[in-house]
Amino acid sequence: MDTFQVIILALIQGLTEFLPISSSAHLILPAQLLGWEDQGLSFDVAVNTGSLLAVVMYFRRELLSMFTAWTSSIVTGKQTQESKLSWWIILATIPAVIVGFSAKGFIETHFRSIEVIAATTIIFGLLLWWADKMQREGFNEFQVGWKKALVIGIAQAMALIPGTSRSGATITAALMLGLSREAAARFSFLMSVPVSLGAAILVTKDLLDSGQVIDYQALGLGIVVSFIAAYICIHYFLKIISKMGMTPFVVYRLALGAVLCGFIFL
């Protein structure tokens, strides 16, 4: 890849990883419009690492507090709201781990098509609109409980289907369960840390096994651009939804789905 391609693809990954608009739907557009080839495993590792570093940096205080409380709860047996949140995040990660290991090959074989991505982009966009419209309760992330955490975790596992959007699926489920918009987004972002870390480890293993030639300059640029884009995205997303809700992202998803349908039928 040349420098322009690296920057564009890293920007797409960084901006769409945490927005409820599906990064996979966006990453196929350059290939469709410009005829770009697949970026390869090494670049996937780079941009995912950049996004992971961004969410860890943005929520560094919360994550440190949660980790400290979690380790303390193991030693002392005493639970705080931070330690409970940590356990709920761990529980919510389990469905994605199970589905990821058991169905990864099946999903990649049968669901990585523009038709599936177009359908899921539209369907889950409408579900996000409905969940946002019906949201009433306004719980915060410390009131989730293990049952709600497990349901949100199942939604995260469903997001392994391309076009669904991990953040979109988890935020939709959280809104349906009564969390406020901001709490739904924060819980979704915190959930992304163990999943993204696990995915980065697995993709890195695949990369080492593949013997692929690594362009370290391109990877370094990809990490930096993805990190900056993701950090800015998280910051402004939390501000936007507190004022405007999910409607802008629903409209965008429907428009994107229509564009993808255009590639299919035209």
Side-chain angles (χ1 to χ4, degrees):
M1 293 186 294
D2 59 33
T3 301
F4 177 74
Q5 290 176 327
V6 170
I7 292 174
I8 294 300
L9 291 174
L11 278 173
I12 291 173
Q13 169 65 26
L15 291 173
T16 59
E17 177 67 22
F18 298 110
L19 295 179
I21 57 176
S22 175
S23 59
S24 58
H26 287 78
L27 288 172
I28 71 166
L29 288 177
Q32 292 289 332
L33 295 173
L34 304 173
W36 292 356
E37 295 182 358
D38 184 84
Q39 60 266 29
L41 282 173
S42 60
F43 190 75
D44 286 344
V45 171
V47 294
N48 285 327
T49 300
S51 299
L52 173 60
L53 291 174
V55 72
V56 169
M57 180 62 68
Y58 193 88
F59 290 102
R60 60 191 180 278
R61 294 183 181 87
E62 292 87 343
L63 289 169
L64 179 59
S65 177
M66 289 169 59
F67 180 75
T68 303
W70 178 71
T71 54
S72 177
S73 73
I74 295 175
V75 175
T76 66
K78 296 180 180 179
Q79 299 292 339
T80 65
Q81 63 177 11
E82 286 84 5
S83 67
K84 290 179 181 178
L85 179 58
S86 300
W87 285 113
W88 297 336
I89 294 293
I90 293 171
L91 177 62
T93 304
I94 294 174
V97 173
I98 294 173
V99 174
F101 275 107
S102 61
K104 181 175 180 288
F106 182 83
I107 291 171
E108 290 183 349
T109 302
H110 295 88
F111 293 117
R112 292 189 67 84
S113 67
I114 190 171
E115 292 84 2
V116 170
I117 293 174
T120 52
T121 297
I122 293 171
I123 292 170
F124 283 91
L126 292 173
L127 283 174
L128 177 61
W129 168 80
W130 182 81
D132 190 46
K133 181 179 177 63
M134 299 302 293
Q135 191 274 333
R136 291 289 184 273
E137 298 290 346
F139 297 136
N140 63 41
E141 62 268 36
F142 296 108
Q143 298 172 291
V144 169
W146 72 267
K147 292 180 181 179
K148 291 184 175 67
L150 185 58
V151 172
I152 299 171
I154 293 171
Q156 180 170 248
M158 291 176 59
L160 291 170
I161 301 174
T164 302
S165 169
R166 192 207 63 82
S167 61
T170 53
I171 290 173
T172 297
L175 290 173
M176 289 180 176
L177 293 170
L179 274 72
S180 69
R181 291 165 179 154
E182 296 85 351
R186 287 194 298 268
F187 193 79
S188 173
F189 293 153
L190 292 171
M191 284 176 64
S192 74
V193 175
V195 169
S196 297
L197 180 60
I201 292 172
L202 289 176
V203 176
T204 300
K205 179 181 179 298
D206 291 342
L207 172 63
L208 295 175
D209 293 340
S210 71
Q212 185 181 113
V213 177
I214 300 175
D215 183 347
Y216 289 101
Q217 184 176 356
L219 263 59
L221 180 59
I223 290 173
V224 172
V225 173
S226 177
F227 171 84
I228 294 172
Y231 192 94
I232 293 172
C233 173
I234 294 170
H235 179 73
Y236 284 103
F237 176 68
L238 291 171
K239 290 183 177 296
I240 289 171
I241 62 173
S242 65
K243 297 178 180 179
M244 303 176 64
M246 300 294 170
T247 301
F249 305 102
V250 172
V251 172
Y252 183 84
R253 283 187 73 118
L254 297 180
L256 177 61
V259 170
L260 294 174
C261 287
F263 285 118
I264 297 170
F265 298 109
L266 297 181

